[in-house]
Amino acid sequence: MASNDETILAFQRLGLSQQKAKETLKNTTVTKNLLSILNEIKNEVPGEPIGILLYHLGTKIKPQIHHQLPILVKYIMSRKLDNTLRVDKAIEFALSHINLIDTNELEKYCGVGVVVTPEQVEACVEKHIIPFKGELMEKRYKFNAGPLMQKVREELPWADGKAVKNEIDVQILDILGPKTEADLAPASKADKKASKPSKTDAKAKCKPKETKEVVKDVPAAQALTILDVMKKISFHAPGENFKTDGYVVTNNTERLLAEHLKITGGKVRTRFPPEPNGILHIGHAKAININFGYAAANNGVCFLRYDDTNPEKEEEKFFTGIHDIVTWLGYKPYKVTHSSDYFDQLYEWAVKLIGKGLAYVCHQTADEMKGFNPEPSPWRDRPIAESLQLFEDMKNGKIDEGEATLRMKITLEEGKLDPVAYRVRFTPHHRTGDKWCIYPTYDYTHCLCDSIEHITHSLCTKEFQSRRSSYYWLCNALGIYCPVQWEYGRLNVNYTVVSKRKIAKLISEGIVKDWDDPRLFTLTALRRRGYPSEAINNFCAQLGVTGAQSTVDPSMLEAFVRDYLNNEAPRHMVVLHPLKVTIENYPNSAPVILSVPDFPNKLELGSHNVTFDRVIYIERSDFMEEGEKGYRRLTKAQSVGLRHAGYVLEVTDLKRNYSGDISEVICQCTAAEKAVVKPKAFIHWVANPIEIEVRLYSSLFKHKNPEDPNEVPNGFLSDCNPDSLTILQSYADKSLSNVKALDNFQFERTGFFAVDPDTNGNKIVVNRTVGLKEDTGK
């Protein structure tokens, strides 16, 4: 093997600088490709133009067409591929003709020999400049020639870019004449502002037709929608699966992709494939947004497919709950399907695999197959006929659970040998009843269902990368259409657990009430707590789509919820910890009805009525007998204003209960405009209130990683916060009498709240969704 110094010298033969050659050496894939190219040209020194094209080839060529490298190098060395555009087209052609390249077709595809004359360039620019003439005359030399350049390049793809640019400059000069002093003057600030579209205009332009309404007043960094994100993702185009790194190409690939395109019409197809054995959590929200979002961003479709291959764990409430959440997040599945829809076809394919010697019936136990270095199965080479008979016996219920499995003859990336395809389970299925007593595994089912549904992009989290080899192997072994698997980093949230088994344990131990307990991070729990679906989608969009695993604090999600609700949740006055205040000089003979705006900064969005009376209730924390430094609210020596009422209160007396605690504050009121001393703060209050139950939630766990034995040696159950739920009996103004479940409100100076489904005709229950940004203690 050549030393690094020799390799650097070899790279310099291609025209690379020493520094560039050293940087290139760090990329093992490109280095391997360039060494192969240098081996093809032997001792020739190609010179800079050709050398740079050979380098370009080395950086762009895909592993699946590496065997076509000699012909591509030959075409570059003979100057038939004389620019990067032609080299790129040649790579594209080779990817679509993996096994055999017809050189005549290649040359035609790459425009080999096509010469674009200066006269053709002149005529083409002259034709396409006409529609731009008005804009050109108006903007003169500040005219953006980019779109004009694009039009010409579309018509003359093989024209030299510099020649086109020079011709455009010449024709602009011919129309406008030489630059004047005004043309040479720098643009004024007003011109710059006018030429730059506002954020609102930019959003309106790029907003897809089917997007949800973008939240008003959300900071620009957070206004990104999932459609904006997915439009920028550079996955392969439908039917161009073969261009993806790692994709396995066979003799059938070209034919199967052609058939696939006929069936799909070239549309993007994705799927969201949850197991119906639990409730979806916040990580699933990212998966839903990515799968449905990518389809929507590309005018495609997304299936909701239940991966229902574990009948002992599946329940009807999980099927309906999953569909409900997908709909709540704003997505409509193209079709709702089930892996069980394809059980007959999956069984037939399993028989075919056995017949080809690619699967066998094994009697090793589950324990014997565990780990990454298990003993190879002694039944791996059993006769095909014997495996066929045993597999039929498994299907017919003649073999007990745990006594046999069907295994595929493949080694996964992680070294795991022969994954299981089928196992025996004498459990009736939710949809197929007693028809089957063998059920397929994820490793076997998933890629085959993707193939059946002609999924173009099988998008999954990073932990499934180790299954990619079996995914491609299985489709190709059966000679069926093979989709492309793309992986992205999963989403984790601190201070919680999302494992279905662990949530079930929290429920059985009575720590939380059910899957929708608002202290959990299941999506039903977040909805019940009052998290809007739009805020969750905006949060997922901001995370983007990368291969890196995301671990975020709940506060990040809360920020999106707060930003959304700040514009959507009407404000009301609610006193969480009531303290009675009697106004001894109440200025009216009866209660007074006041109109209070739902959104103080947007009066046009409506109002509601509240009652003001002699007896009101304020927050207990808004009164302190003897004030302290920095305290701005009511004390015996300090007045306070009443929001919306227009009065200032001053303490005249206090009443105490048997324990000596203050039970009532007696005050005098003064009209705010007549107050001698202006109050330092205005507080909220209620009069003639209704009683409501308020549930305040805090983190369920004390540590960031409750599942980490280093942080929590005694297990996640030992880390539960006993004070994660506080229940208050509070007072609200009567305008909240007719609320319905999941209505969102901002309680002034307190936080955002949502009406809990426990609410009924006799009792209103609300959950605190998130607190306010500002410090409510001042």
Side-chain angles (χ1 to χ4, degrees):
M1 182 178 289
S3 67
N4 284 353
D5 288 342
E6 290 172 335
T7 304
I8 289 168
L9 286 171
F11 287 174
Q12 287 180 275
R13 283 171 53 204
L14 297 175
L16 301 186
S17 67
Q18 186 180 45
Q19 183 60 35
K20 183 67 174 175
K22 286 180 179 178
E23 290 173 6
T24 302
L25 192 63
K26 295 175 185 177
N27 189 320
T28 54
T29 302
V30 173
T31 295
K32 179 184 173 184
N33 293 339
L34 292 180
L35 289 174
S36 297
I37 289 169
L38 287 163
N39 186 54
E40 289 296 324
I41 66 174
K42 306 302 181 190
N43 295 319
E44 290 187 59
V45 180
E48 186 174 324
I50 293 177
I52 295 303
L53 292 177
L54 291 172
Y55 174 78
H56 184 76
L57 174 65
T59 61
K60 295 290 185 179
I61 195 165
K62 304 288 185 184
Q64 52 266 48
I65 57 167
H66 198 272
H67 61 287
Q68 306 284 20
L69 196 66
I71 191 170
L72 299 180
V73 170
K74 179 183 174 184
Y75 265 81
I76 292 174
M77 293 297 290
S78 65
R79 297 179 182 270
K80 289 185 175 180
L81 300 178
D82 56 359
N83 56 40
T84 55
L85 177 60
R86 283 195 167 98
V87 173
D88 288 340
K89 296 295 280 185
I91 292 171
E92 191 176 291
F93 184 85
L95 281 167
S96 58
H97 297 77
I98 295 288
N99 299 312
L100 182 65
I101 287 184
D102 182 318
T103 54
N104 291 329
E105 289 295 319
L106 171 66
E107 292 183 13
K108 182 179 178 183
Y109 193 80
C110 298
V112 172
V114 175
V115 176
V116 180
T117 66
E119 290 76 19
Q120 286 176 294
V121 173
E122 182 184 356
C124 190
V125 171
E126 192 173 328
K127 178 176 78 173
H128 287 292
I129 205 170
I130 293 171
F132 292 96
K133 218 162 190 177
E135 185 183 355
L136 178 61
M137 296 297 289
E138 179 188 346
K139 296 181 178 178
R140 292 186 58 79
Y141 285 100
K142 294 180 178 65
F143 169 73
N144 176 13
L148 172 58
M149 180 86 170
Q150 186 178 346
K151 291 283 186 186
V152 176
R153 294 305 298 270
E154 285 172 2
E155 185 171 328
L156 301 176
W158 308 115
D160 179 73
K162 287 182 180 178
V164 172
K165 177 69 170 63
N166 289 338
E167 182 59 34
I168 289 174
D169 289 344
V170 167
Q171 294 203 26
I172 288 177
L173 178 63
D174 188 51
I175 293 171
L176 300 179
K179 289 184 178 180
T180 64
E181 286 187 19
D183 294 324
L184 295 170
S188 66
K189 289 183 180 180
D191 290 338
K192 285 180 181 177
K193 285 182 180 178
S195 64
K196 189 175 180 181
S198 69
K199 288 182 181 178
T200 308
D201 293 339
K203 283 180 195 172
K205 264 189 178 179
C206 69
K207 183 180 176 183
K209 288 182 182 177
E210 297 182 7
T211 58
K212 299 180 183 192
E213 185 180 351
V214 176
V215 181
K216 303 178 191 74
D217 301 330
V218 173
Q222 296 179 5
L224 202 64
T225 69
I226 195 66
L227 293 179
D228 297 329
V229 173
M230 301 315 290
K231 280 178 179 291
K232 297 176 183 177
I233 298 297
S234 55
F235 292 145
H236 69 283
E240 294 186 352
N241 305 29
F242 52 84
K243 291 186 178 181
T244 308
D245 286 345
Y247 189 79
V248 180
V249 177
T250 70
N251 293 334
N252 295 321
T253 299
E254 193 173 344
R255 172 182 60 81
L256 291 169
L257 288 176
E259 293 172 1
H260 161 73
L261 286 173
K262 283 183 182 177
I263 290 168
T264 64
K267 274 195 168 187
V268 164
R269 285 190 175 203
T270 60
R271 80 290 167 273
F272 173 58
E275 295 179 69
N277 60 0
I279 296 297
L280 302 181
H281 56 71
I282 186 63
H284 290 114
K286 181 178 179 181
I288 291 168
N289 271 279
I290 287 174
N291 279 286
F292 281 92
Y294 186 71
N298 292 278
N299 298 314
V301 298
C302 183
F303 291 72
L304 169 58
R305 185 205 307 144
Y306 295 107
D307 185 20
D308 56 342
T309 58
N310 291 300
E312 63 270 24
K313 296 181 180 178
E314 294 157 9
E315 296 180 41
E316 174 63 25
K317 68 176 181 180
F318 296 138
F319 285 87
T320 55
I322 288 168
H323 191 279
D324 180 37
I325 286 297
V326 169
T327 304
W328 174 64
L329 287 175
Y331 297 109
K332 183 179 180 182
Y334 169 64
K335 282 183 182 176
V336 176
T337 59
H338 306 73
S339 294
S340 57
D341 295 339
Y342 313 120
F343 276 178
D344 289 307
Q345 178 64 76
L346 296 176
Y347 176 78
E348 287 177 22
W349 278 336
V351 171
K352 184 176 179 181
L353 277 181
I354 298 170
K356 296 177 76 170
L358 299 175
Y360 62 96
V361 173
C362 174
H363 302 290
Q364 284 184 306
T365 65
D367 286 338
E368 289 172 330
M369 288 187 277
K370 275 182 183 174
F372 291 102
N373 293 298
E375 289 293 320
S377 171
W379 292 279
R380 197 171 199 264
D381 297 317
R382 78 187 322 158
I384 288 173
E386 192 176 308
S387 279
L388 286 170
Q389 182 59 56
L390 286 168
F391 189 51
E392 187 174 352
D393 290 345
M394 288 169 63
K395 179 177 80 81
N396 293 332
K398 296 180 180 180
I399 298 179
D400 287 338
E401 287 188 17
E403 294 296 316
T405 58
L406 182 70
R407 297 176 69 179
M408 299 175 281
K409 289 187 180 179
I410 180 179
T411 302
L412 301 179
E413 285 97 329
E414 60 201 19
K416 188 173 176 63
L417 187 68
D418 297 356
V420 171
Y422 272 89
R423 72 274 196 224
V424 178
R425 289 286 186 276
F426 292 113
T427 305
H429 189 275
H430 176 77
R431 299 182 72 248
T432 61
D434 294 324
K435 179 178 178 180
W436 298 93
C437 62
I438 55 170
Y439 293 99
T441 62
Y442 175 91
D443 285 323
Y444 179 76
T445 308
H446 187 69
C447 61
L448 300 184
C449 290
D450 281 353
S451 177
I452 291 168
E453 294 177 351
H454 281 271
I455 300 305
T456 58
H457 299 76
S458 181
L459 309 176
C460 55
T461 48
K462 201 74 175 175
E463 65 264 32
F464 292 103
Q465 186 169 343
S466 62
R467 267 81 171 259
R468 197 197 296 176
S469 59
S470 68
Y471 188 107
Y472 293 158
W473 175 85
L474 189 48
C475 290
N476 290 328
L478 291 167
I480 59 176
Y481 162 70
C482 182
V484 177
Q485 178 173 305
W486 290 93
E487 302 91 13
Y488 56 88
R490 68 179 296 164
L491 167 64
N492 295 318
V493 178
N494 291 327
Y495 298 102
T496 191
V497 297
V498 294
S499 156
K500 294 165 186 172
R501 179 180 60 81
K502 289 176 180 174
I503 292 175
K505 188 69 174 172
L506 289 170
I507 294 169
S508 66
E509 293 289 327
I511 295 169
V512 298
K513 292 183 178 179
D514 209 337
W515 294 88
D516 65 347
D517 188 297
R519 289 166 288 183
L520 296 173
F521 275 76
T522 62
L523 291 172
T524 50
L526 295 179
R527 177 173 63 178
R528 183 172 182 176
R529 186 162 173 169
Y531 281 38
S533 58
E534 295 88 347
I536 291 174
N537 290 344
N538 292 340
F539 166 70
C540 292
Q542 192 66 21
L543 292 174
V545 184
T546 68
Q549 181 170 291
S550 305
T551 301
V552 301
D553 263 16
S555 58
M556 181 177 174
L557 175 56
E558 288 172 1
F560 282 84
V561 173
R562 192 180 291 111
D563 283 332
Y564 182 83
L565 290 178
N566 197 45
N567 297 283
E568 300 294 330
R571 296 189 186 183
H572 285 259
M573 293 194 291
V574 175
V575 174
L576 300 188
H577 302 87
L579 173 63
K580 184 178 179 182
V581 173
T582 299
I583 304 172
E584 59 183 1
N585 67 332
Y586 177 69
N588 305 298
S589 59
V592 175
I593 304 300
L594 305 176
S595 179
V596 174
D598 291 338
F599 297 88
N601 297 326
K602 299 177 183 177
L603 301 181
E604 70 278 7
L605 294 181
S607 62
H608 59 277
N609 291 333
V610 301
T611 303
F612 180 55
D613 206 349
R614 178 180 302 276
V615 175
I616 64 172
Y617 296 88
I618 66 172
E619 288 287 354
R620 191 163 288 275
S621 60
D622 281 340
F623 172 75
M624 186 179 286
E625 188 171 358
E626 302 295 335
E628 57 187 29
K629 187 177 180 180
Y631 189 75
R632 299 159 60 90
R633 287 154 287 161
L634 187 63
T635 71
K636 288 197 299 183
Q638 181 171 274
S639 65
V640 75
L642 295 180
R643 291 173 74 88
H644 309 298
Y647 288 98
V648 174
L649 297 183
E650 292 180 277
V651 177
T652 59
D653 197 9
L654 302 175
K655 291 187 178 181
R656 302 177 187 271
N657 58 22
Y658 292 113
S659 304
D661 298 324
I662 295 170
S663 59
E664 184 178 352
V665 180
I666 310 299
C667 291
Q668 290 267 346
C669 74
T670 306
E673 65 272 12
K674 295 180 180 178
V676 177
V677 178
K678 298 298 179 185
K680 293 181 179 179
F682 280 77
I683 61 174
H684 66 283
W685 52 272
V686 293
N688 296 329
I690 57 173
E691 188 172 308
I692 64 173
E693 180 179 304
V694 176
R695 297 171 182 173
L696 305 177
Y697 300 97
S698 53
S699 176
L700 183 59
F701 295 98
K702 301 172 188 174
H703 290 83
K704 270 189 177 183
N705 304 299
E707 298 170 275
D708 185 346
N710 294 320
E711 285 190 41
V712 188
N714 296 321
F716 74 101
L717 289 178
S718 70
D719 196 47
C720 290
N721 174 13
D723 300 319
S724 59
L725 170 62
T726 302
I727 298 177
L728 306 176
Q729 299 304 315
S730 304
Y731 287 162
D733 71 64
K734 287 182 178 176
S735 62
L736 290 173
S737 298
N738 298 314
V739 295
K740 60 182 186 298
L742 303 182
D743 280 351
N744 293 107
F745 299 98
Q746 180 182 155
F747 292 171
E748 292 207 31
R749 301 175 61 239
T750 305
F752 296 97
F753 291 76
V755 180
D756 190 86
D758 284 347
T759 295
N760 56 45
N762 301 316
K763 181 175 71 171
I764 294 173
V765 180
V766 297
N767 300 316
R768 182 168 63 189
T769 307
V770 290
L772 299 176
K773 270 185 180 180
E774 62 267 20
D775 178 9
T776 57
K778 291 287 180 76

